[in-house]
Amino acid sequence: MATFTKKAIRDSFVKLLSENPLSQITVKDIVDDCGVNRNTFYYYYHDIPELLESIVDDEIEKIISEYPTIDTIEDCLTVAMKFALENRKAALHMFRSVSRDVYERYQWHVCRHLVTAYIDSLLTGHTVSPEDRQIIIDYTVCLCFGFVVGWLEKGMPDDILAKVHRLCELKQGEVERMIERCETSE
């Protein structure tokens, strides 16, 4: 029952976030929508920011468990945008709210996990120093994070998957060349 109630609260919040900016959602709106009382809400969450943090943390864990490995940088970007693509208005409302940092933290963690899994798969069979590995990961995370945040900043235009594909065509082999240069410089 507890898991069901918690999920109902979360689902109602995401639904309401798809309809209204975060600043216009109240605990009363959430409990009215999901059919629980205020005390039940406060049993699980101190306030709406804690609910938002909880959802974001769970989404991060979900992506980490669903994607222990990743094959391409295009997959990194597509998965990093998955929540936003599936919950467009909710993602924009979070991104444009005073809790923007919570959403950006989510994007950063997701990008870092996906890129690290991708880079580590490319490094199999290569000898690269830990410092160079970290530089390559940091560079690629910043690229992915910046691309996703730029897309959100522009209001999430619909053509993003085509742009992701084109970007990956243009940058094809870049990380592999960085790895090769790291090996020859040792």
Side-chain angles (χ1 to χ4, degrees):
M1 181 79 163
T3 304
F4 175 80
T5 303
K6 209 170 180 180
K7 183 177 177 348
I9 292 169
R10 288 166 174 249
D11 290 348
S12 289
F13 178 66
V14 172
K15 175 186 161 219
L16 291 167
L17 196 54
S18 294
E19 299 167 357
N20 303 296
L22 181 61
S23 62
Q24 294 178 9
I25 299 171
T26 65
V27 171
K28 182 180 180 340
D29 296 330
I30 296 167
V31 299
D32 286 350
D33 186 76
C34 69
V36 299
N37 64 43
R38 291 176 71 86
N39 290 338
T40 302
F41 177 91
Y42 290 117
Y43 176 79
Y44 293 107
Y45 305 103
H46 179 69
D47 53 19
I48 290 176
E50 183 181 309
L51 169 60
L52 179 61
E53 287 269 353
S54 177
I55 290 170
V56 165
D57 289 344
D58 287 350
E59 283 297 315
I60 291 168
E61 290 303 315
K62 180 179 163 188
I63 287 180
I64 288 171
S65 68
E66 285 181 19
Y67 298 93
T69 62
I70 199 135
D71 297 327
T72 68
I73 199 70
E74 188 168 351
D75 291 342
C76 289
L77 284 162
T78 303
V79 171
M81 293 184 289
K82 185 178 179 178
F83 178 83
L85 287 167
E86 293 172 355
N87 302 279
R88 292 180 78 82
K89 287 185 180 180
L92 270 179
H93 284 146
M94 279 190 281
F95 186 73
R96 292 178 174 161
S97 76
V98 295
S99 296
R100 177 181 178 151
D101 63 313
V102 173
Y103 192 74
E104 285 182 345
R105 181 179 57 82
Y106 160 78
Q107 282 301 154
W108 183 261
H109 284 285
V110 167
C111 288
R112 174 149 307 279
H113 166 73
L114 296 169
V115 166
T116 300
Y118 169 65
I119 299 297
D120 285 346
S121 73
L122 291 179
L123 287 172
T124 303
H126 296 276
T127 305
V128 173
S129 72
E131 295 81 12
D132 284 345
R133 173 188 172 272
Q134 195 58 55
I135 288 169
I136 294 168
I137 289 171
D138 290 345
Y139 166 77
T140 311
V141 168
C142 289
L143 174 78
C144 290
F145 177 78
F147 194 81
V148 173
V149 169
W151 169 63
L152 289 161
E153 195 68 51
K154 292 174 191 164
M156 300 170 62
D158 291 332
D159 63 345
I160 191 61
L161 295 178
K163 286 184 178 180
V164 165
H165 182 72
R166 182 63 181 143
L167 172 68
C168 292
E169 286 178 336
L170 294 171
K171 296 186 78 52
Q172 185 175 7
E174 178 184 62
V175 174
E176 291 85 345
R177 286 189 298 278
M178 291 170 75
I179 291 169
E180 288 172 14
R181 284 191 288 276
C182 290
E183 281 190 309
T184 58
S185 68
E186 292 194 46

